[in-house]
Amino acid sequence: YELAKVRILGVPAITVASAVLGENQSTPDARKRAEVIEGNLRLLYDPNQLCSQGERLSEWLLEKVVTEASDVCSPGLGEGLVPSGEPLTIEIAADAAGNQVLQAVLKGRHRAFRILTVTEADAEINGLSSVALARRWQRILQSRVNHARATLTPQRLAHRWRLTVAVELILLGLIAVTLWGWTRLRRKVECLQRRRALEPERRRGLELRLHGLHAVTRVLMVLVLFELVFAVGLGVMAVPGQIPLGIEVLLQPSFAILKVAAITVVGLLLRALSTFLLPQWVDNVDVMAQERARRDQRYRSLLRVIHRLIDVSCILVAGLWILLDIPGVKATSFSILLFGGALLGALAIVFQGLLRDFVAGLLVLVEDRY
């Protein structure tokens, strides 16, 4: 079976299915069915989605010039649908083949508005009979569509935007206060650094205070990032139908912290492993005593280089991992990977001399020919 979600205001409501048959046999496509059903439901709670803003404006301008009315982009007049918060009723009917059909009964419309037909694949995948599944979907869709119709009324939308603007202003105030505190701390850090150079006898205490202030400034910068993401997430959630996207945006900082923590643990383990293995190589009993000092120098250089490589690799992996999980980037991950590969190839060609010198330096350290 092929499955597809049917969403109302961006939130999944039901799951439709289609049997996957051979290539030469025609079968209803689940994704196409879901798109059609979503379009039918959208006409019930937001008929203005039938046309874009530009199409509605151009139709209005043309009506003013030609003086010939058109109901295509008007608020549902051509379909007998009116965007209002009045509740509707979804009923179950049977078609000529005996299939269960869900259709909406609207005020001012003489014929019921057909939404979907319950198929055998839907009943099979949900583990219910067609009649039982039709009743279940009737309850779900009727409550969710009526909720959407009430949400998109002008009064509710105005209240929603007013509340969003108030919360966004509060968040902007918090961001401004946090940035002001961060600026004050940075100035204090610069002052303590000057005092540390002028007062050597108090160097120890000043360094402890500097470490504490540096930690506080880092926390404040992370707090600013959290507040910015929270403000963006709330702004996205204020748009009807974009609540799932807004929630994903709000969760990104937490996911990023977990990913950075996981990569940091892996990096620390790799550094500890390299720190453990390299001394074994230095303390090899087969090495002559006159070569021990030279090997000790190579050990210190190799340890610094390996630790630096581990740090850079962890930063690149963490950045790529976080980038590919950003909403909107997931769908284009393959294209981004192709673009990134092409970009890395171009950079490798441009900086081939630098890369060649770097690899040569590693070989000099490892082989010790000079």
Side-chain angles (χ1 to χ4, degrees):
Y1 292 100
E2 183 185 24
L3 305 179
K5 297 183 290 292
V6 176
R7 301 174 180 86
I8 297 177
L9 286 181
V11 183
I14 60 175
T15 302
V16 296
S18 65
V20 178
L21 303 177
E23 295 181 358
N24 297 327
Q25 301 184 34
S26 60
T27 179
D29 181 68
R31 293 187 181 88
K32 187 63 178 177
R33 281 189 65 209
E35 291 176 4
V36 173
I37 295 171
E38 281 186 7
N40 293 338
L41 293 171
R42 194 176 296 115
L43 285 174
L44 295 176
Y45 62 83
D46 189 13
N48 284 324
Q49 290 291 331
L50 189 63
C51 294
S52 65
Q53 294 285 354
E55 289 171 336
R56 284 198 292 272
L57 182 60
S58 60
E59 184 192 57
W60 177 78
L61 291 174
L62 194 59
E63 287 178 0
K64 296 299 181 182
V65 175
V66 183
T67 66
E68 188 66 33
S70 171
D71 293 336
V72 176
C73 292
S74 299
L77 296 180
E79 298 288 338
L81 307 169
V82 179
S84 66
E86 296 182 359
L88 54 79
T89 303
I90 295 180
E91 62 180 21
I92 302 173
D95 60 8
N99 298 317
Q100 302 297 311
V101 178
L102 295 183
Q103 53 189 17
V105 179
L106 295 125
K107 184 178 180 180
R109 184 182 174 90
H110 299 295
R111 298 183 61 182
F113 185 80
R114 185 164 178 165
I115 301 173
L116 64 92
T117 300
V118 181
T119 64
E120 289 297 328
D122 297 330
E124 181 70 24
I125 203 66
N126 283 276
L128 297 171
S129 65
S130 298
V131 176
L133 183 60
R135 291 173 181 168
R136 178 182 176 185
W137 283 0
Q138 177 195 22
R139 293 192 300 270
I140 294 173
L141 295 180
Q142 181 168 301
S143 61
R144 296 280 291 274
V145 169
N146 284 328
H147 168 73
R149 287 167 66 87
T151 300
L152 293 178
T153 55
Q155 298 81 5
R156 292 280 292 273
L157 286 175
H159 175 73
R160 184 175 189 155
W161 284 111
R162 284 196 298 267
L163 182 62
T164 303
V165 169
V167 175
E168 293 287 350
L169 290 176
I170 294 173
L171 285 173
L172 289 177
L174 289 176
I175 293 172
V177 171
T178 309
L179 287 175
W180 175 79
W182 178 81
T183 305
R184 291 290 301 272
L185 286 178
R186 290 296 301 173
R187 292 175 182 170
K188 196 169 185 179
V189 166
E190 294 173 359
C191 181
L192 287 177
Q193 288 174 343
R194 289 193 295 268
R195 287 180 57 189
R196 182 180 61 179
L198 297 175
E199 303 176 10
E201 67 280 359
R202 300 183 57 189
R203 186 182 183 88
R204 180 67 177 174
L206 292 175
E207 284 184 351
L208 290 175
R209 290 182 62 186
L210 280 173
H211 285 309
L213 289 177
H214 279 305
V216 174
T217 53
R218 295 190 187 99
V219 171
L220 287 179
M221 285 306 299
V222 173
L223 184 59
V224 169
L225 292 177
F226 268 87
E227 290 170 347
L228 285 173
V229 173
F230 196 67
V232 173
L234 283 181
V236 173
M237 291 175 65
V239 180
Q242 299 300 324
I243 290 180
L245 178 59
I247 292 175
E248 287 189 9
V249 172
L250 292 177
L251 292 177
Q252 287 308 305
S254 303
F255 290 156
I257 290 175
L258 292 176
K259 292 168 187 174
V260 170
I263 296 296
T264 302
V265 170
V266 173
L268 291 175
L269 290 176
L270 291 175
R271 287 171 66 105
L273 183 62
S274 62
T275 306
F276 173 75
L277 292 178
L278 280 177
Q280 313 301 319
W281 170 71
V282 174
D283 297 334
N284 192 346
V285 294
D286 296 333
V287 180
M288 293 183 293
Q290 57 268 27
E291 295 183 6
R292 291 291 179 89
R294 177 63 183 160
R295 180 166 286 204
D296 187 61
Q297 291 177 345
R298 293 168 62 201
Y299 157 74
R300 290 196 296 270
S301 298
L302 281 172
L303 190 63
R304 286 195 298 268
V305 171
I306 291 174
H307 284 182
R308 193 72 57 85
L309 284 175
I310 291 173
D311 293 342
V312 173
S313 302
C314 289
I315 291 172
L316 291 177
V317 171
L320 185 62
W321 193 6
I322 293 172
L323 178 65
L324 292 180
D325 245 2
I326 295 176
V329 179
K330 290 181 183 179
T332 56
S333 296
F334 184 69
S335 302
I336 289 178
L337 288 176
L338 287 179
F339 174 75
L343 182 62
L344 287 177
L347 291 177
I349 294 174
V350 173
F351 297 105
Q352 57 182 334
L354 181 63
L355 294 174
R356 182 174 59 245
D357 294 343
F358 178 75
V359 175
L362 283 179
L363 291 176
V364 166
L365 283 174
V366 173
E367 296 183 0
D368 197 31
R369 292 190 178 187
Y370 306 100

